[in-house]
Amino acid sequence: MRYIIKRFALKTNTIKYFIFSGLLILLIACSTKRNTWLSRNSHALSTKDNILYNGGTALNKGIIEVKLQNIDNFWEILPVERMQIKADNLAPGNTTNANFDKAETKSTKAIQKHSMNINGSEKNPQMDEAYLMLGKARYYDQRFVPALDAFNYVLNKSPESDKIYEVKIWREKTNMRLDNDALAVNNLRKLLKEIKFKNQIFADANATLAQAFINLQEKDSAVTKLKIAKKFTKSNEEVSRYNYILGQLYEQLGYKDSANASYQSVIDMHRKAARQYIIHAHVRQASQFDYKKGDTIAFLKKYNDLLKDRENRPFLDVLHHQLAIFREKTNNRLLAKKEYNLSLKKKTQDTYLIASNYRNLADICFIESKFVNAGKYFDSTLVQLKPRTREYNLIKKKRENLDDVIKYEAIAQSNDSIISIYNMSSSEKTVYFEKYIVKLKKEEEIKKKLAEKAAIIKVNQEKNNGDINSKDGVGSSAIKPKIEPKVNSDIASAGAGSFYFYNPSTVAYGKAEFTKIWGKRALQDNWRVASITEKNSLKGTDSEVKDSENDKDFKDIKVVDDKYTADYYRNQLPNSKKVIDSLSKERNFANYQLGIIYKEKFKEFQLAVNRFEKLLKDNPEERLVLPSMYNLYKLFEVLDKEKAESIKASIIREYPNSRYAQILQNPSSEIEVASDSPNAVYVNIYKQYKNREYKAVLTATNNAINRFTGDEIVPKFELLKANVIGKLSGLSEYKTALNFVALTYPNVEEGKKAEKMIAVDLPKLEALQLSKASSKNWKVLYSSKDLDEAVTKALRDKIQKFITDRNLTKLSISSDIYTMTDNFVVIHGMTSEDLAKGVATVLKEFKEYKVQETPIIISTENYTVVQIKKNLADYLSGNILADAPQPSWDGTLDKAPESQQPKPPVPTNNNQQTGQQPTQDLKNNAKGREEPSGGQEYGPPPSPGSIDKPEKKG
């Protein structure tokens, strides 16, 4: 017995020793600091079969989702890799896909628990795959810099890894995403020399290098590498994509036959290729079709077959678009518009396709001279295009050129319609309006039916909660909880979500249907009996409705809407001859402007002829007759020589003394140098402008524009007028006037100059602000309504006497225009605010001057701002910034220079001697620098207000 007990104890101890030894061995194997066979293989096994397996599964799911969510832009060269970069996903902390987050978590866990970085190298053979997975997860999550770190770790720590080529490819993909394309090209060229086996890795390396060449615009090199990638890749999806990209590259290089062959390779893959590649390959082949010599019958048969194929339904928008282009190229614009509209009706996420449809429809309308419709289509095009692109700017420019056409076409059509109806007899007006009312009722009926149909659809959708497979008529609405009105709990429990009266849409529809069938019935017994309903409903009212003796069905008295009566429209017509004459003048001027626009802007000579001829038939005012006839003469010189000679003879015969007759009789003479020629008139007005006679110039430019309407010199007058408006009305009106010139005359020098001034000069002027900054240049202003009145002349004489008596040669006087009604008498030359106040005080209090007008003390910089912006009220109210940008001498924005001037003593009324002190200070301070009057050194062109130079002294 004792032997048995000893043997059992020995056996137990042996088991303990074995367990202890096993735990010790396991502990040694779990160490990441010991480079042993057991440690390496233990950690590798744990990494591969547990953590990396789950992470790899998540990564593959995420990659599939990325490819499915990718929307390719087939209007540009496709990227080799199917992944879209989104700017909003580049923010720190953002993740594009939960699967990538999981893959990164798993790979990080594997690295943290099983990495064996010993003596600067990685001993766990699975760590390269962990870091590769980490880099891929970050790459697809669009965090490229952290991804690059992961790939570089493998290259540095595991240079002998069997994944080294794959890691290098992914590193260069990341470099390309970071715009390091040249670096990627160099590294990939070295890699291709290292790869010994031409397998999928070799194909991926060439494809990546091809993308780098595409990014660098080296299309020839990209073609070479992409052909190699296509040859060695094992993925049919990649083969079809590479073939399509090759077709795009060949097309841009001008190799049409090679491009067509590449697209055909995509088509010949049939179901091995994605359907989108096949459809767009057909489209790109169609774009190379020879519309003059090609087989149009075969082309139409091919596209009709494509349209009938059920598999192509998701791509009908593209197919209709391409068929529309074919119709347009073969001069069948009617069918082209139909196909474009069919393309627009299909739901599509391709915004550029939508924009292309609208743009092409606009071009067709433009060709057909339907400029108003063209403008609408251009508006729709701009909505779909990306701003600040070349195509967007081009379309925007075309649209702006149509502004005047749309404006004047609307005026001409509207006024002409009103005048035509006004000239009808009473019976003709009635017939006309009744026809319009019938048409209006039909349109209203169609709208009503469409609205009812939409209401029924909405009710059915809400009833079934969108479940079209519902069999019980309730769908999932009885299952899904909804927020319902508070009702009795028993009723609510009986059918909370499906009860008829709990659905407001259903109730509204039911009420409408009841009224439609039964009319208006009171809530009472026997409501179906019309006579009872009628008697009760009319009881207590002033009006009585009598039923027939046989108790016929009650019919509601319908109130006729005013818009369905002829009187409603007849009463809106003007009944004053004066109003009609005004509309006629407005219409005639609109027709004249349209004629000029069609002739000068769009070169639509026949349209211009139609407008001018219509204008002459409508009895226009005299000022439009001769310019219209002369423009017709110019147009018919191109279209019909005989008519041109006829109009020329009419002008010479009927208006022999006119300028146009003289030009026609003596085309090579010096008629344009005559005193009443446009050029001579412009020169005279410009001289007045330089002499600052702005009010006279404004009147003269208006007269000249009316007189020379249609002449090539009118834009010059308009630009001059804009400058004068700026000087008299301020910056806001100046901008409006310049904008008018830029939009009205975009193709002439004056229009381009106005556009440049709006873009470059106006922002500088708008940035100027009134400031409390110190200045070395000050002025004293005295307001005046009329510079020629006796009071103003007396004021100037007193100021001049003050300057002469005290020998202040550095001071000067000017008469500056402020607005159309206000002016200033300005004293220039003071170097400090105190000196300016001293001068004003002397002029007011000394008995030999006694200037009673209220002075305004202002720095030259603020005076410039006041003249430009016409904001004197803000200056007087103290609405001034402490430190604001100021105009410098070269017209840029800069702070005004600071000055330190001693304060002069204030003069007294009874001591003549003290009055000499500020005068003496003025003399001393004025010697430093002569004050230019009005700020002529400032550069902003052309600054409003008379601030160029002062008038002569006294």
Side-chain angles (χ1 to χ4, degrees):
M1 186 70 180
R2 183 180 296 175
Y3 172 77
I4 295 173
I5 293 172
K6 288 183 178 180
R7 189 167 182 177
F8 177 76
L10 181 63
K11 186 175 182 181
T12 303
N13 290 335
T14 304
I15 293 172
K16 288 181 180 179
Y17 290 140
F18 274 112
I19 293 174
F20 178 77
S21 301
L23 291 173
L24 182 63
I25 293 171
L26 183 63
L27 182 63
I28 294 172
C30 291
S31 174
T32 59
K33 301 300 182 181
R34 297 176 62 86
N35 184 18
T36 63
W37 179 88
L38 186 60
S39 295
R40 291 195 299 271
N41 287 276
S42 172
H43 284 288
L45 185 63
S46 299
T47 303
K48 179 180 180 181
D49 292 339
N50 183 13
I51 304 174
L52 291 187
Y53 174 80
N54 293 326
T57 303
L59 179 65
N60 291 334
K61 288 181 180 179
I63 294 174
I64 292 172
E65 289 180 9
V66 165
K67 291 183 177 180
L68 291 176
Q69 293 171 1
N70 178 69
I71 301 175
D72 285 318
N73 181 8
F74 286 89
W75 305 98
E76 299 176 354
I77 294 180
L78 294 183
V80 170
E81 186 179 28
R82 291 175 60 189
M83 186 177 82
Q84 287 181 319
I85 301 298
K86 298 179 180 178
D88 56 347
N89 288 330
L90 298 179
N94 285 357
T95 55
T96 58
N97 192 304
N99 288 311
F100 298 137
D101 189 38
K102 181 178 179 181
E104 184 174 2
T105 302
K106 292 294 183 181
S107 56
T108 304
K109 181 179 178 181
I111 292 168
Q112 290 174 343
K113 288 190 173 184
H114 302 289
S115 176
M116 298 177 65
N117 189 353
I118 301 172
N119 295 328
S121 63
E122 182 58 57
K123 303 304 179 181
N124 185 346
Q126 290 297 319
M127 278 302 101
D128 56 350
E129 293 196 14
Y131 275 101
L132 178 59
M133 181 188 297
L134 178 62
K136 286 183 179 180
R138 290 173 174 176
Y139 177 89
Y140 283 111
D141 207 34
Q142 300 183 15
R143 292 183 290 121
F144 300 117
V145 174
L148 192 62
D149 290 339
F151 297 135
N152 283 331
Y153 182 90
V154 179
L155 297 177
N156 294 330
K157 302 297 182 180
S158 304
E160 302 299 326
S161 169
D162 59 343
K163 299 288 183 180
I164 196 69
Y165 295 152
E166 185 178 357
V167 172
K168 287 183 177 181
I169 292 172
W170 279 98
R171 183 186 66 174
E172 303 320 317
K173 282 185 178 183
T174 310
N175 277 327
M176 287 160 53
R177 295 294 184 182
L178 295 172
D179 295 329
N180 297 323
D181 297 299
L183 176 63
V185 168
N186 292 333
N187 291 338
L188 286 169
R189 280 174 170 165
K190 294 177 183 178
L191 175 62
L192 288 174
K193 294 178 181 179
E194 298 174 8
I195 298 176
K196 298 178 181 179
F197 301 101
K198 295 183 178 180
N199 51 14
Q200 184 65 45
I201 294 294
F202 183 72
D204 292 342
N206 279 282
T208 306
L209 182 55
Q211 181 64 63
F213 281 130
I214 292 173
N215 295 344
L216 295 171
Q217 299 298 314
E218 299 178 16
K219 297 184 177 65
D220 287 329
S221 301
V223 167
T224 302
K225 296 302 176 183
L226 207 57
K227 288 167 70 175
I228 297 173
K230 180 190 71 171
K231 181 178 180 181
F232 291 100
T233 186
K234 298 177 181 179
S235 169
N236 285 328
E237 195 276 336
E238 289 182 356
V239 171
S240 60
R241 190 175 184 86
Y242 296 166
N243 271 323
Y244 187 86
I245 297 173
L246 280 170
Q248 290 180 307
L249 292 171
Y250 282 133
E251 197 172 347
Q252 290 198 3
L253 291 170
Y255 306 142
K256 292 186 177 181
D257 292 339
S258 298
N260 192 66
S262 294
Y263 292 134
Q264 190 60 43
S265 298
V266 178
I267 297 170
D268 291 341
M269 290 182 71
H270 302 296
R271 296 185 183 278
K272 292 181 180 179
R275 199 67 184 171
Q276 58 180 350
Y277 299 135
I278 295 175
I279 294 299
H280 284 280
H282 281 296
V283 170
R284 296 315 305 162
Q285 280 187 335
S287 67
Q288 302 178 57
F289 181 75
D290 189 341
Y291 296 98
K292 293 182 179 179
K293 300 179 181 179
D295 189 347
T296 56
I297 297 176
F299 182 95
L300 286 174
K301 183 179 183 303
K302 171 184 175 181
Y303 262 81
N304 287 329
D305 292 341
L306 289 172
L307 289 170
K308 293 176 182 177
D309 192 339
R310 293 175 61 89
E311 293 185 19
N312 297 336
R313 287 185 178 182
F315 309 101
L316 289 179
D317 51 348
V318 183
L319 295 173
H320 280 299
H321 174 80
Q322 193 59 45
L323 190 55
I325 293 176
F326 171 80
R327 296 295 189 186
E328 189 177 355
K329 295 291 186 181
T330 53
N331 296 320
N332 195 336
R333 289 196 284 267
L334 183 62
L335 287 178
K337 287 191 285 187
K338 179 182 177 182
E339 294 295 337
Y340 283 130
N341 285 315
L342 286 173
S343 178
L344 287 170
K345 286 181 180 179
K346 306 302 177 183
K347 301 293 183 180
T348 179
Q349 296 179 340
D350 191 344
T351 56
Y352 189 79
L353 176 62
I354 298 172
S356 298
N357 286 325
Y358 283 127
R359 180 200 61 215
N360 294 351
L361 283 168
D363 290 338
I364 291 175
C365 290
F366 199 91
I367 293 171
E368 294 176 346
S369 303
K370 298 176 181 178
F371 297 109
V372 176
N373 289 340
K376 295 177 182 178
Y377 282 124
F378 279 137
D379 286 336
S380 299
T381 304
L382 291 174
V383 172
Q384 302 296 332
L385 289 177
K386 293 181 180 178
R388 298 181 182 179
T389 59
R390 180 179 296 178
E391 186 173 10
Y392 180 90
N393 293 332
L394 180 63
I395 299 295
K396 186 178 180 182
K397 192 71 174 178
K398 286 184 178 180
R399 177 60 184 83
E400 288 175 351
N401 287 339
L402 290 173
D403 282 341
D404 288 338
V405 175
I406 294 171
K407 171 187 172 183
Y408 290 120
E409 282 285 1
I411 293 172
Q413 292 177 12
S414 175
N415 290 10
D416 198 51
S417 176
I418 293 172
I419 294 169
S420 299
I421 296 173
Y422 176 84
N423 292 328
M424 291 180 183
S425 64
S426 179
S427 59
E428 289 174 336
K429 290 177 184 176
T430 302
V431 172
Y432 177 85
F433 289 134
E434 286 179 350
K435 288 182 179 179
Y436 175 77
I437 289 169
V438 170
K439 180 182 176 182
L440 185 64
K441 286 182 177 179
K442 288 181 179 179
E443 292 176 354
E444 292 289 339
E445 188 66 25
I446 293 172
K447 289 180 181 178
K448 185 178 178 181
K449 289 180 179 179
L450 291 175
E452 289 177 355
K453 183 178 180 181
I456 294 172
I457 293 173
K458 184 177 180 181
V459 168
N460 291 335
Q461 287 177 342
E462 291 183 355
K463 184 178 179 182
N464 293 322
N465 198 24
D467 185 4
I468 60 174
N469 297 321
S470 175
K471 297 179 180 180
D472 57 1
V474 178
S476 58
S477 60
I479 300 172
K480 294 183 180 180
K482 290 187 176 181
I483 299 174
E484 302 292 351
K486 293 182 180 179
V487 295
N488 185 281
S489 59
D490 295 334
I491 299 176
S493 62
S498 60
F499 188 49
Y500 178 89
F501 290 103
Y502 292 162
N503 191 322
S505 299
T506 309
V507 172
Y509 177 71
K511 287 181 178 180
E513 286 295 304
F514 181 88
T515 305
K516 182 179 178 181
I517 298 171
W518 295 99
K520 296 179 180 179
R521 300 296 175 105
L523 181 58
Q524 61 182 13
D525 294 337
N526 299 321
W527 60 269
R528 288 174 180 264
V529 180
S531 59
I532 297 175
T533 304
E534 176 201 1
K535 291 174 183 178
N536 291 330
S537 62
L538 297 179
K539 189 180 295 183
T541 61
D542 294 331
S543 62
E544 294 182 359
V545 180
K546 296 181 179 181
D547 282 343
S548 63
E549 295 179 358
N550 295 327
D551 193 18
K552 293 182 179 180
D553 290 340
F554 174 74
K555 294 183 180 180
D556 293 326
I557 300 174
K558 294 183 179 180
V559 179
V560 179
D561 195 341
D562 287 343
K563 66 181 180 180
Y564 297 136
T565 62
D567 290 337
Y568 173 76
Y569 301 101
R570 190 183 287 109
N571 293 335
Q572 295 185 45
L573 286 174
N575 51 17
S576 170
K577 181 66 176 173
K578 185 177 180 180
V579 176
I580 294 298
D581 290 342
S582 175
L583 292 174
S584 179
K585 287 182 180 179
E586 193 176 21
R587 174 199 61 187
N588 292 339
F589 182 74
N591 280 325
Y592 179 80
Q593 290 294 336
L594 287 169
I596 293 294
I597 292 169
Y598 291 147
K599 173 176 174 276
E600 300 295 340
K601 275 189 181 181
F602 303 127
K603 307 302 179 184
E604 292 286 344
F605 296 145
Q606 190 56 52
L607 283 177
V609 166
N610 295 342
R611 288 297 174 178
F612 286 127
E613 287 181 340
K614 186 179 187 318
L615 171 62
L616 293 174
K617 291 178 183 178
D618 289 336
N619 192 25
E621 54 245 84
E622 190 65 26
R623 72 184 183 95
L624 297 178
V625 174
L626 260 176
S628 299
M629 294 179 69
Y630 183 75
N631 278 295
L632 277 174
Y633 164 74
K634 287 291 188 182
L635 289 165
F636 281 130
E637 274 192 322
V638 178
L639 300 176
D640 192 332
K641 294 288 186 182
E642 291 184 4
K643 287 187 178 181
E645 289 299 322
S646 175
I647 293 176
K648 177 181 176 181
S650 297
I651 293 174
I652 295 172
R653 182 178 63 255
E654 297 175 16
Y655 305 94
N657 298 324
S658 67
R659 185 174 60 89
Y660 293 104
Q662 295 176 38
I663 294 172
L664 292 174
Q665 289 176 317
N666 304 291
S668 60
S669 67
E670 298 180 356
I671 186 69
E672 289 299 315
V673 187
S675 60
D676 63 340
S677 68
N679 289 332
V681 172
Y682 180 81
V683 170
N684 291 332
I685 295 176
Y686 189 74
K687 287 180 180 178
Q688 290 180 296
Y689 173 80
K690 296 297 289 183
N691 292 331
R692 304 184 322 282
E693 301 172 18
Y694 301 128
K695 297 176 184 178
V697 170
L698 185 60
T699 303
T701 51
N702 283 328
N703 293 335
I705 290 169
N706 289 332
R707 178 182 174 187
F708 301 119
T709 300
D711 199 287
E712 294 179 354
I713 203 170
V714 170
K716 291 184 179 294
F717 285 113
E718 290 285 6
L719 185 58
L720 185 60
K721 177 183 174 181
N723 290 334
V724 174
I725 287 173
K727 291 181 180 294
L728 294 176
S729 302
L731 197 58
S732 178
E733 295 295 326
Y734 183 44
K735 184 176 183 179
T736 302
L738 284 178
N739 194 54
F740 173 80
V741 178
L743 294 179
T744 307
Y745 310 102
N747 298 321
V748 299
E749 181 183 355
E750 288 73 23
K752 294 176 181 177
K753 184 177 181 181
E755 188 173 0
K756 182 180 179 182
M757 292 167 73
I758 292 171
V760 178
D761 299 325
L762 279 179
K764 295 180 180 179
L765 299 179
E766 289 172 342
L768 298 178
Q769 298 289 336
L770 295 171
S771 174
K772 294 181 181 178
S774 60
S775 172
K776 291 183 179 181
N777 304 282
W778 289 83
K779 303 180 187 296
V780 179
L781 314 181
Y782 292 98
S783 298
S784 172
K785 292 294 182 183
D786 187 354
L787 293 175
D788 294 327
E789 65 182 0
V791 176
T792 305
K793 290 181 179 179
L795 174 63
R796 286 179 57 89
D797 292 341
K798 291 178 182 179
I799 296 172
Q800 184 59 46
K801 185 176 185 303
F802 165 75
I803 294 173
T804 305
D805 290 347
R806 280 141 178 87
N807 194 26
L808 302 174
T809 57
K810 299 301 181 180
L811 297 190
S812 61
I813 314 170
S814 70
S815 297
D816 293 356
I817 295 174
Y818 182 56
T819 64
M820 286 292 291
T821 56
D822 297 310
N823 311 283
F824 295 128
V825 176
V826 186
I827 306 175
H828 309 271
M830 287 140 289
T831 56
S832 72
E833 183 179 8
D834 291 330
L835 291 178
K837 290 179 179 178
V839 169
T841 303
V842 171
L843 288 172
K844 179 181 180 181
E845 297 182 357
F846 278 48
K847 61 182 180 180
E848 61 262 47
Y849 311 121
K850 287 294 181 181
V851 175
Q852 300 301 318
E853 288 81 357
T854 303
I856 301 173
I857 311 299
I858 189 170
S859 66
T860 296
E861 292 79 11
N862 282 338
Y863 183 60
T864 302
V865 176
V866 165
Q867 281 286 14
I868 290 173
K869 293 193 171 184
K870 307 301 179 187
N871 57 349
L872 181 63
D874 291 340
Y875 179 80
L876 295 177
S877 64
N879 187 13
I880 307 173
L881 299 176
D883 188 13
Q886 293 294 297
S888 66
W889 302 118
D890 62 355
T892 58
L893 303 183
D894 197 4
K895 287 187 177 180
E898 298 181 358
S899 64
Q900 297 179 354
Q901 295 293 336
K903 294 184 179 180
V906 179
T908 59
N909 291 334
N910 55 3
N911 191 343
Q912 183 69 21
Q913 184 65 28
T914 57
Q916 298 297 325
Q917 183 63 37
T919 305
Q920 186 64 34
D921 289 339
L922 281 171
K923 290 182 181 179
N924 295 335
N925 285 289
K927 291 179 182 179
R929 161 163 73 90
E930 182 175 357
E931 165 67 21
S933 64
Q936 67 179 15
E937 297 88 346
Y938 299 120
S943 59
S946 176
I947 56 175
D948 295 331
K949 61 181 180 179
E951 292 184 355
K952 294 181 180 179
K953 300 176 187 177

